[in-house]
Amino acid sequence: MQIKENSWIAKLAAKKLKSDQMAITIGQTIYLYNVSKNYFLSQSKWVKHEQQHIQQFKKYGFFKFLIMYLYESWKKGYYNNKWEIEAREAENK
């Protein structure tokens, strides 16, 4: 797992989701916007959420998961996306 701070891609996601802070996982890397690596790592639920996305990428493969994730988001929206539901459930494990 790699973590990159001040990411332009996380900034775009934050803008899209109207959020002040953002973590977005692509492959094995977690991209952060407006949040430090140390703060992110201190938030266990947030870390578990993003780690679940890493597992999803590993399970389905990079391109297959990316396509499935984007299709699910287009079909049901971000919050009701089954991959986000699974990641939210992982926060409490």
Side-chain angles (χ1 to χ4, degrees), residues 67-78 81:
I67 290 167
M68 291 189 312
Y69 183 95
L70 292 172
Y71 177 75
E72 183 77 8
S73 291
W74 174 74
K75 187 176 167 186
K76 296 184 179 177
Y78 170 78
N81 174 328

Side-chain angles (χ1 to χ4, degrees), residues 5-23:
E5 296 176 292
N6 301 314
S7 163
W8 65 270
I9 199 159
K11 183 177 181 178
L12 289 176
K15 201 174 231 187
K16 172 76 174 157
L17 296 174
K18 298 178 177 135
S19 178
D20 292 333
Q21 298 177 321
M22 181 60 58

Side-chain angles (χ1 to χ4, degrees), residues 22-72:
M22 181 60 58
I24 182 172
T25 299
I26 301 175
Q28 306 298 309
T29 304
I30 300 169
Y31 297 90
L32 303 176
Y33 171 69
N34 207 26
V35 60
S36 71
K37 179 179 177 179
N38 287 338
Y39 178 78
F40 170 75
L41 290 172
S42 75
Q43 305 301 304
S44 64
K45 287 187 176 191
W46 202 359
V47 171
K48 289 177 185 178
H49 181 105
E50 298 308 321
Q51 285 178 326
Q52 182 63 36
H53 289 313
I54 290 172
Q55 293 307 310
Q56 293 163 338
F57 272 103
K58 284 182 181 179
K59 182 175 181 179
Y60 296 103
F62 184 88
F63 291 108
K64 183 177 180 182
F65 179 67
L66 196 57
I67 290 167
M68 291 189 312
Y69 183 95
L70 292 172
Y71 177 75
E72 183 77 8

